[in-house]
Amino acid sequence: MYVYDEFDRAFLQERVAEFRDQVERRLAGELNEEEFKPLRLMNGVYLQLHAYMLRVCIPYGTLSARQLRAMAAVARKYDRGYGHFTTRQNIQFNWIKLAELPDAMADLAEVGIHGIQTSGNCIRNTTTDPWAGAAADEVEDPRLYAEVIRQWSTLHPEFTYLPRKFKIAITAAKHDRAAIRVHDVGLRLYKRDGKTGFEVSVGGGLGRSPYIGKTIRDFLPEEDLLSYLEAILRTYNLGGRRDNIYKARIKIQVHEMGAEAFAQKVEAEWAEIRDGALKLDKAALDAIRDRFLNPALEDLEDAPAVLATALADSDFARWHANSVAPHKAKGHAIVTLSLKPVGAPPGDATADQMDAIADLADQYAYGEIRVAHEQNLTFPYVRQKDLPALWAKLKAIGVATPNVGLISDIIACPGLDYCSLANARSIPVAQKLTERFADDARIADIGRLHLNISGCINACGHHHVGHIGILGVEKKDEEFFQITLGGKGNSKARIGELIGPAVSEGEVVDVVERLVETYLDLRTSPAETFIAAVQRLGTDPFKERAYAPR
């Protein structure tokens, strides 16, 4: 965990006081909604379909148990007893009254969390691998650099009013768990000849015009990270489209200019500033690194006897195989907590669950929790000997469903149940799909399959990069759903292919099931994953079965 200093704490208190004054002026009628809108957006407050929504920043997805308890308290005191974890590693509260928003923000500020830059045309929360600092396959902990970016980007005077929102993601592992290729800027941290640096991609993003990011610099030394990002942002800020909201993202600029031409402009800008004040030296990095309080992990036995005994229980063994990952430290493991139980909205956690998870984090996970972009939670540091006891307690609070990475581990936006932009509901479709695919043995046989749902073209559910993607559209005042196949969000990212006309809400679950049955019939063996079968066969066999007359 990064420990904030007195400056950070004082800044948050001042920001809450400022927003309290703005809310009081709005309630008194001194500000109309149009005047209030840019002020609330700067603090992560949206006006949704039914109420104001507060989006709270969880920097690079890292939470302390104390912070999670504060979120539970806000959910219980000001909202309806739950929060929704998002694909940007944040949490949203959907029902807080405007008059009570400053109080909720003050309570969160006490533990160092806030909603600043979770909305508006600015640099949003930098996301990273939820296993950062623990993953066996990472080069080094990328959260150091995410924190560097946080400090540089927060209230950056030049980039507060960009043409559109701007998203950065970092990974430092062989397996990309941060989906960097579908971000405005993606950073892959690696070492070349013993030196730390980044592969830099730009112009990725989903929404109305989905694109995969293009590499514009193969290796950027770590000391040049901020100056190069500044050069990218300046190039975008000056040349990005401001005349059309649908063409304002950097992905459109990169696409229209071409990646090579865009890179040339960035390099020219960078040449002017690379040796200036933004150059990162060892002392600056060490000062930030020293404020990370990482747990002092014991050197423990791998595969202890208590774990071997517990694995004789088939239910525990299924969960262990699905939700427990290798750790870089001997005798430890990484545990994913599924927020996707059968029949529930994906990514939601009740206040009681959050309190219980915080308690379990203190007891078993060194007090630290991570939020994953798949809308699940992670304990990055768990002793292997504690896994059986932890599993029993996770199961008791409903967060031990062994479906991580499987068909019922659905990424979904809030959809038309909450969002004023949505064309269709996402949550009911996700609930019906989890009910259809509720049998643990069945979904284990299907194997790895990412199913993503968005309620509108803005793609908050990342449907473009789902192995199966579902997009809600409106046709003659009714909700319909388009289906895409073959998307991927990892290092080999690709956009899914639309396979046919939109289907009604009553048909969508059956269509998905037919796609799955096609895979099961045509796979070469259970070892061939759904996405591998789609890549081998193409979409035609799936399309024929999905739309076959019934």
Side-chain angles (χ1 to χ4, degrees):
M1 287 292 301
Y2 182 81
V3 180
Y4 295 113
D5 59 19
E6 287 301 322
F7 174 85
D8 286 297
R9 288 189 282 272
F11 167 70
L12 289 185
Q13 290 170 357
E14 290 170 7
R15 186 69 175 226
V16 170
E18 179 185 67
F19 186 66
R20 189 182 298 279
D21 176 68
Q22 293 164 352
V23 169
E24 288 172 355
R25 289 161 61 202
R26 172 72 185 105
L27 292 171
E30 297 172 18
L31 294 173
N32 61 36
E33 183 55 39
E34 270 313 295
E35 293 167 328
F36 182 56
K37 181 178 178 179
L39 304 176
R40 62 173 169 78
L41 286 177
M42 289 179 182
N43 293 281
V45 179
Y46 285 79
L47 183 57
Q48 293 281 75
L49 198 59
H50 308 292
Y52 285 100
M53 178 267 281
L54 172 62
R55 180 181 293 150
V56 178
C57 180
I58 303 172
Y60 35 92
T62 298
L63 274 174
S64 69
R66 182 176 177 231
Q67 289 173 328
L68 187 58
R69 288 191 190 93
M71 290 176 175
V74 165
R76 191 176 287 113
K77 183 176 181 181
Y78 302 105
D79 205 281
R80 295 186 176 179
Y82 67 94
H84 175 73
F85 290 96
T86 79
T87 54
R88 287 220 65 71
Q89 300 181 310
N90 294 323
I91 189 171
Q92 294 179 177
F93 298 104
N94 291 289
W95 298 100
I96 302 179
K97 296 181 177 66
L98 178 58
E100 295 180 341
L101 270 168
D103 291 335
M105 289 179 171
D107 291 352
L108 294 171
E110 284 296 317
V111 296
I113 47 182
H114 56 81
I116 300 167
Q117 291 188 198
T118 59
S119 57
N121 295 335
C122 56
I123 302 170
R124 302 287 183 89
N125 183 30
T126 297
T127 55
T128 191
D129 187 345
W131 299 358
D137 64 339
E138 74 178 7
V139 174
E140 63 178 81
D141 191 341
R143 291 176 302 154
L144 168 67
Y145 303 96
E147 175 61 26
V148 168
I149 294 170
R150 184 195 72 84
Q151 295 188 19
W152 161 77
S153 64
T154 300
L155 301 189
H156 193 302
E158 193 174 342
F159 306 137
T160 300
Y161 295 100
L162 294 167
R164 280 290 275 131
K165 57 188 175 182
F166 199 91
K167 300 175 180 180
I168 301 170
I170 309 175
T171 189
K174 291 180 181 177
H175 182 78
D176 177 11
R177 288 176 288 268
I180 65 170
R181 290 287 178 180
V182 290
H183 282 74
D184 298 297
V185 167
L187 299 169
R188 182 178 70 88
L189 188 152
Y190 70 107
K191 290 186 183 293
R192 176 188 282 180
D193 300 326
K195 186 173 178 59
T196 300
F198 303 89
E199 177 190 356
V200 183
S201 63
V202 298
L206 304 177
R208 186 175 299 270
S209 303
Y211 289 104
I212 302 301
K214 305 291 194 303
T215 297
I216 62 167
R217 182 161 265 272
D218 182 59
F219 188 81
L220 177 75
E222 66 175 351
E223 62 265 25
D224 296 320
L225 174 62
L226 292 187
S227 59
Y228 201 78
L229 288 176
E230 185 113 349
I232 291 172
L233 266 295
R234 283 185 178 179
T235 302
Y236 168 53
N237 202 23
L238 289 170
R241 298 280 296 270
R242 295 178 187 269
D243 60 323
N244 185 329
I245 192 173
Y246 302 117
K247 296 184 178 182
R249 297 288 295 271
I250 192 174
K251 62 187 178 182
I252 303 299
Q253 186 182 12
V254 172
H255 176 70
E256 291 182 346
M257 289 180 63
E260 186 175 343
F262 183 87
Q264 289 173 355
K265 283 188 172 291
V266 171
E267 293 286 329
E269 178 66 37
W270 185 47
E272 298 292 323
I273 62 173
R274 63 179 297 180
D275 294 320
L278 290 174
K279 200 171 191 70
L280 289 168
D281 58 24
K282 184 177 183 301
L285 287 172
D286 285 347
I288 294 175
R289 186 181 283 110
D290 289 346
R291 296 195 70 82
F292 275 93
L293 296 183
N294 293 316
L297 302 182
E298 308 163 68
D299 188 15
L300 299 173
E301 177 189 4
D302 272 326
V306 66
L307 177 58
T309 300
L311 287 169
D313 180 330
S314 60
D315 288 342
F316 174 79
R318 184 180 294 116
W319 172 80
H320 184 273
N322 174 263
S323 303
V324 178
H327 200 287
K328 65 169 59 175
K330 187 179 177 184
H332 289 77
I334 301 166
V335 175
T336 298
L337 286 58
S338 172
L339 298 183
K340 317 289 179 61
V342 173
D348 278 12
T350 67
D352 289 347
Q353 284 178 317
M354 285 188 266
D355 275 336
I357 290 167
D359 290 345
L360 293 175
D362 277 337
Q363 185 176 1
Y364 294 109
Y366 299 87
E368 191 164 321
I369 306 103
R370 305 284 176 78
V371 183
H373 83 269
E374 295 93 347
Q375 299 172 291
N376 290 319
L377 301 180
T378 295
F379 285 166
Y381 311 106
V382 177
R383 303 170 189 87
Q384 291 180 21
K385 65 182 181 181
D386 290 336
L387 288 170
L390 174 62
W391 170 67
K393 294 180 180 181
L394 293 175
K395 190 166 63 166
I397 61 171
V399 294
T401 305
N403 64 345
V404 175
L406 304 180
I407 191 169
S408 60
D409 184 14
I410 297 170
I411 294 176
C413 71
L416 194 55
D417 286 313
Y418 296 96
C419 182
S420 57
L421 301 176
N423 297 312
R425 292 169 297 165
S426 302
I427 292 172
V429 174
Q431 291 172 310
K432 290 174 185 175
L433 282 163
T434 61
E435 290 163 357
R436 181 69 61 91
F437 295 96
D439 181 74
D440 287 345
R442 184 188 187 198
I443 66 173
D445 181 48
I446 294 166
R448 193 163 192 85
L449 199 165
H450 299 165
L451 201 162
N452 298 9
I453 307 174
S454 298
C456 77
I457 198 64
N458 289 301
C460 294
H462 294 186
H463 68 278
H464 292 294
V465 291
H467 298 165
I468 299 175
I470 301 175
L471 168 63
V473 295
E474 182 185 336
K475 293 176 66 175
K476 297 180 180 178
D477 295 325
E478 292 186 32
E479 297 173 44
F480 276 73
F481 298 87
Q482 294 178 348
I483 311 293
T484 57
L485 272 187
K488 295 173 70 174
N490 59 16
S491 57
K492 297 180 180 178
R494 54 178 290 181
I495 304 300
E497 178 184 333
L498 182 65
I499 64 168
V503 299
S504 69
E505 182 185 0
E507 298 174 290
V508 65
V509 175
D510 290 335
V511 168
V512 170
E513 187 164 41
R514 291 199 287 272
L515 293 172
V516 171
E517 289 171 348
T518 304
Y519 155 67
L520 293 174
D521 289 344
L522 299 180
R523 67 186 180 182
T524 55
S525 75
E528 183 178 41
T529 62
F530 179 89
I531 189 64
V534 172
Q535 290 173 332
R536 175 175 61 85
L537 296 165
T539 59
D540 285 345
F542 296 88
K543 186 186 307 183
E544 289 168 11
R545 294 271 289 271
Y547 292 96
R550 296 282 155 170

